[in-house]
Amino acid sequence: MAEEILTQEKPEKKKRIFSAIQPSGTITLGNYVGALRNWVKLQDDYECIFAVADLHAITVRQDPKVFRQNILNAYALFLACGIDTEKSIFFIQSHVHTHAELAWLLNCYTQFGELSRMTQFKDKSAKHADNVNAGLFTYPSLMAADILLYQADLVPIGADQKQHLELTRNIAERFNGIYGKTFTIPDGYIPKVGARVMSLQDPTKKMSKSDENNNAWVALLDKPETIMKKFKRAITDSEARVCIGEGKDGINNLIGIMSAVTGKTADEITAEFEGKGYGDFKTAVGEAVIEEVRPIQERFDRLIKDKAYLEEQYRKSAEIAEKISQRTLDKAMKKIGYLAR
Ligand code: AMP
Ligand code: TRP
C-alpha cells in the first residue's frame, strides 16, 4: 500500500495526510491520546505519510548521543503504537533531503512579519533566551515544506500547531498566486475535544513533557508503578464526586483520560464511581492507563533491540518519500526559474 501511494500519484477517493512529531526524549500520554493514537486510526481511511521531525528538533540544543537515541526511540515507539509501514509511509525527516531544500525556497516566500507573529517562536525564544537562533525563527517554513512536498490534503495537528498550519496555507497560496498551482492547500485536522490531556499537577495547563514537575505528565514508557504514583498524586478538588463539572478541572481531565483509554462515556464513568471516593477513581484511571500502554511497551522493548528491522523500515519509507517529494521540489524549482539538472 505504501508503494501504491507512489505509483497512483493521487487515487480518486483517499485523501492524503501528512503529520510529524518531534523526537523529544519523552513521548507523553498527551502525545499518544492527542496525536499518535489518531494517526494509527487514520491509516485505514487515508493515504498517510508520517515523519519523525528530527530537523525541527535542533532549533533547541541537543546532546548528540542522546539525540541519536531519541530519534531511534521515537521511531520504534511510533511503530509500537501501531504506525504500520505496510499501510503508511513513515520516515525520518533528515533522511529525505527535499525537506531542507524546499524549506530554503519557502523561506524566501515567507515574510519576517509573519514569522514574528508565531506564538511558539515567542514562547520558545523566551524560554531559551540564550539561543534564539534563526532556525527557531524560520521553523514554520520547514514545517510548511514538510506538508507541501507531499501535496497533503489534511494535516492532523494539535491546537498548538494551528497557527503554523495557517501560515503554511498562506505560503502555499502566495506561491501558487505567483507561479500557478504548485501546492495543494492543506486543511487542518484537529481532533475533537477530549483530545487535550491536561497536566496532572495543574489541570488548567496542557500535559507537556517540558513541564519541570515530573508528576505533571505520564510518559508512554513510564513504568507501571510510576504511572500509578503519578495518578495517585493527581490534583483534584474537594467535592469528592466523580463527574464533569465547572471548577473540577482535575477530575474533568481524569474522566477525559479514562474515557479516552476505555472508550466509556463520561456518564458511564460517573455512574460506575457513584458513591466512591477520588482515591478509588485515581487508582482505576492509573490501572486503565497501565493496561493501555502495556502492549505498546512490550512491542517497544522488542523493536528497539532489532536495529536491523528498524533500519529496513525507515529506509524503505524514506526512499518512497524522497521520490514523491522530489517531484514537488522539481516542480517548484522549475516554476521559480531554476535550470533543470
Ligand atoms: P509536542 O509534544 O508538543 O511537540 O506535540 C506533538 C503532538 O502531540 C502534537 O500534535 C500535539 O498537539 C500533541 N499533544 C502534545 N501534548 C498534548 C496534550 N497534552 N494533549 C493532547 N495532545 C497533545
Ligand atoms: N511542528 C510540529 C510540532 O512541534 C511537528 C511537525 C513538524 C509537524 N512538521 C510537521 C506537524 C508537519 C504537522 C505537519 O508538534
Side-chain angles (χ1 to χ4, degrees), residues 73 76-77 80 221 296-304:
N73 281 356
L77 183 56
L221 294 177
I296 297 174
Q297 296 192 351
E298 284 168 5
R299 283 196 293 272
F300 173 82
D301 290 342
R302 252 183 288 126
L303 284 164
I304 199 65

Side-chain angles (χ1 to χ4, degrees), residues 18 69 145 235 298 311:
F18 181 91
Q69 190 60 53
I235 299 294
E298 284 168 5
E311 255 175 51

Side-chain angles (χ1 to χ4, degrees), residues 21 28 30-31 34-35 157-160 195-198 206-207 209:
I21 297 188
T28 66
N31 296 133
I157 38 163
D160 56 324
R196 203 168 149 82
V197 179
M198 309 308 279
K206 126 179 163 165
M207 178 183 285
K209 54 206 164 201

Side-chain angles (χ1 to χ4, degrees), residues 19-22 24 26-36 39 120 124 139 156-161 191 194-199 205-209:
S19 199
I21 297 188
Q22 293 197 45
S24 83
T26 358
I27 301 292
T28 66
L29 185 66
N31 296 133
Y32 176 68
V33 172
L36 271 170
W39 291 11
Q120 187 176 317
K124 285 207 175 169
Y139 163 119
I157 38 163
D160 56 324
Q161 296 296 321
R196 203 168 149 82
V197 179
M198 309 308 279
S199 156
K205 282 193 334 200
K206 126 179 163 165
M207 178 183 285
S208 166
K209 54 206 164 201

